[in-house]
Amino acid sequence: MKKKILFLPLFRMQSGHHQVAEALMDMLKKHSNGITYKKIDLISYTNTSLEKIIVNSYLTWIRYAPETYNLAYKNLFYVHTPKERIFKWYQQLFMNKLEQLIAEEKPDLIVCTHGFPSYLLSQLKMKGKCSTPVINVYTDYFINNVWGSEGIDAHFLPSQEVKEKLMSKRQIPKQTMMVTGIPVHEEITKNARVQRNTARPKILISGGNSGLGGILNLGDELKNSTDFDYLVLCGNNSKLYEEIETWNLPHIKPLPYISSRSEMNKLYEEVDAIVTKPGGVTISEALRKRLPIFVHSRLPGQEEINLQYLKQQGLVFKLNQKKPFEKQLLGILKDQKKMKKWNTSIEAYHKEIELEKPEGIVEVMKLILSLNQNGTPSYLARQPKLLYS
């Protein structure tokens, strides 16, 4: 009988939570047999109208009152841990629905790419209402306080720093934690980029998918560029795409939503640097490609905290919105000392990753499928070192 893995993001809205789930599902498809998988977003499963209300409220809040969202996010989910109080009024509804979902789907393994399903599953496991093994796969460079830890069988972590925090603050057993980085699709290859000797470097600009990336704020500077050619990823933002098309400039090319990861891989290899927001998946892809990363804007909440970590580790360059955009790009890319320091940081980041190859990640998921009856990952407990070889 085929084993079944259930992937749980939270919303239907396309995000890093979905991209990570899809990357892992494609790895399973390519590197395993006899495993089926399904992705279900919990809020839509619970109530599609509620899902629309929550997503629209979130987008409106971060668009029109970003600072209050940032403050609320940090206080509620990052600094403090009042989960029980925050979730009390609707927790039972979602727990009942999650129990129903598990009964319907009968998964042999559950993979959470969002903290809220993980929190609910942890609660169910502690109450003896769920015996299915669970993996947390984190999609940011920090772990907020929503994620469940008790009863969770394995953790795919973004960094050694997060691993150490989980060991010290939540007493999570070391053998259940693997530093994978934020998983990206295996078609985003680790091949070294070819150094291009062109007079005008190519810059990829990303972050326009939700219309919140601040790309048009750079409009005049991009139009008058004398040093770079630009490829602008517009995602599903048709207004942004149409606006840039009306400029009709040979050095600026808008690109629509690209669903193919192999196409994105080619695009990464075609450019000399990327300007993006500090979203987990895009940053993780750019780090794998060893692309210099410039952050021009960020969304409040998760991206703000991601940026703090990435700057601290020397993995990205934060641009000052009050200073000339191109002058900053040139100043950094042509500064050998800064680029050498960045290269050192990139190498240190890659050395931290314990489990990066798709075959290894799939093997761990397959091993966890073979949990023994008392809920301990028996193979992992006996052979933790094999995970990192």
Side-chain angles (χ1 to χ4, degrees):
M1 188 175 173
K2 284 191 172 185
K3 297 281 189 179
K4 183 176 187 179
I5 301 179
L6 179 63
F7 287 84
L8 291 181
L10 191 62
F11 303 106
R12 268 185 303 186
M13 179 177 71
Q14 278 302 308
S15 62
H17 310 293
H18 281 277
Q19 289 179 55
V20 167
E22 286 159 11
L24 293 171
M25 286 161 66
D26 282 349
M27 287 178 198
L28 285 165
K29 184 178 179 181
K30 185 173 178 181
H31 300 288
S32 68
N33 294 311
I35 297 176
T36 62
Y37 41 84
K38 194 169 186 179
K39 176 165 65 86
I40 296 176
D41 51 290
L42 183 61
I43 302 273
S44 296
Y45 174 82
T46 303
N47 186 307
T48 51
S49 298
L50 177 64
E51 197 262 351
K52 287 178 185 174
I53 291 167
I54 292 173
V55 168
N56 288 336
S57 300
Y58 163 72
L59 292 174
T60 301
W61 192 1
I62 61 174
R63 187 191 294 268
Y64 295 110
E67 293 311 317
T68 62
Y69 176 86
N70 199 41
L71 189 64
Y73 182 90
K74 285 182 178 177
N75 278 319
L76 293 176
F77 303 125
Y78 186 58
V79 178
H80 305 296
T81 319
K83 289 185 295 201
E84 289 74 13
R85 190 169 74 247
I86 296 169
F87 300 143
K88 192 173 182 180
W89 66 273
Y90 56 79
Q91 177 177 313
Q92 198 56 50
L93 164 69
F94 286 112
M95 282 223 269
N96 291 343
K97 279 292 184 179
L98 187 51
E99 278 191 87
Q100 179 184 319
L101 176 61
I102 293 168
E104 286 173 6
E105 296 294 334
K106 297 180 176 58
D108 299 287
L109 171 64
I110 301 172
V111 177
C112 297
T113 59
H114 191 284
F116 189 51
S118 165
Y119 165 72
L120 295 174
L121 283 163
S122 176
Q123 295 293 305
L124 289 175
K125 286 198 146 202
M126 291 302 97
K127 292 175 181 178
K129 293 183 176 182
C130 175
S131 59
T132 310
V134 177
I135 303 176
N136 283 352
V137 183
Y138 303 95
T139 58
D140 286 298
Y141 288 96
F142 68 99
I143 295 179
N144 67 32
N145 291 321
V146 177
W147 287 91
S149 54
E150 290 183 289
I152 303 301
D153 299 278
H155 305 259
F156 288 1
L157 301 170
S159 70
Q160 288 289 344
E161 183 178 296
V162 167
K163 185 176 183 177
E164 285 159 18
K165 281 182 181 176
L166 286 184
M167 278 194 289
S168 63
K169 291 185 177 179
R170 300 199 191 183
Q171 286 75 52
I172 294 175
K174 186 176 181 179
Q175 68 266 25
T176 66
M177 297 191 288
M178 291 126 257
V179 178
T180 58
I182 295 171
V184 299
H185 201 284
E186 64 180 298
E187 287 185 353
I188 306 297
T189 62
K190 209 176 173 183
N191 299 344
R193 291 179 305 110
V194 177
Q195 292 296 318
R196 297 171 343 103
N197 296 312
T198 55
R200 290 176 67 91
K202 265 189 188 176
I203 307 295
L204 180 64
I205 299 183
S206 174
N209 191 41
S210 60
L212 299 166
I215 290 172
L216 286 177
N217 295 339
L218 297 172
D220 289 338
E221 286 201 74
L222 297 185
K223 289 178 192 176
N224 298 318
S225 172
T226 55
D227 296 294
F228 297 103
D229 288 327
Y230 295 100
L231 297 170
V232 182
L233 280 169
C234 300
N236 294 313
N237 188 344
S238 55
K239 286 185 179 178
L240 177 64
Y241 183 88
E242 289 161 11
E243 168 71 19
I244 295 172
E245 277 230 303
T246 63
W247 298 350
N248 196 26
L249 293 169
H251 68 282
I252 305 175
K253 182 181 178 182
L255 300 170
Y257 178 71
I258 297 173
S259 59
S260 164
R261 305 322 293 166
S262 61
E263 275 187 49
M264 275 305 303
N265 190 58
K266 287 177 186 173
L267 195 56
Y268 286 137
E269 292 183 351
E270 189 184 328
V271 299
D272 299 280
I274 182 170
V275 177
T276 186
K277 300 187 292 89
V281 174
T282 302
I283 293 289
S284 189
E285 290 179 347
L287 289 173
R288 177 176 281 197
K289 300 305 292 184
R290 288 175 162 77
L291 263 180
I293 302 164
F294 294 90
V295 175
H296 180 263
S297 57
R298 85 288 180 276
L299 295 182
Q302 297 94 315
E303 290 189 357
E304 172 94 2
I305 302 167
N306 278 342
L307 181 57
Q308 289 172 12
Y309 168 79
L310 294 163
K311 279 171 60 184
Q312 176 192 329
Q313 299 299 314
L315 297 170
V316 303
F317 301 102
K318 175 72 172 73
L319 296 174
N320 186 333
Q321 293 193 16
K322 294 178 181 178
K323 293 182 179 179
F325 172 67
E326 284 206 337
K327 192 174 180 181
Q328 291 181 78
L329 290 187
L330 275 175
I332 292 167
L333 289 173
K334 292 188 179 296
D335 187 323
Q336 290 186 356
K337 191 175 178 181
K338 284 181 181 175
M339 293 311 296
K340 186 177 180 182
K341 188 178 178 183
W342 171 79
N343 265 307
T344 302
S345 299
I346 289 289
E347 290 308 315
Y349 164 81
H350 284 289
K351 280 178 183 173
E352 278 192 358
I353 296 177
E354 301 164 332
L355 190 68
E356 184 176 44
K357 289 183 179 178
E359 300 91 332
I361 291 173
V362 168
E363 190 61 25
V364 170
M365 287 192 276
K366 285 163 68 177
L367 292 173
I368 295 168
L369 280 168
S370 62
L371 289 178
N372 63 22
Q373 289 182 342
N374 68 14
T376 303
S378 54
Y379 190 96
L380 295 180
R382 291 198 314 269
Q383 307 286 357
K385 290 181 182 177
L386 292 184
L387 297 178
Y388 314 133
S389 57

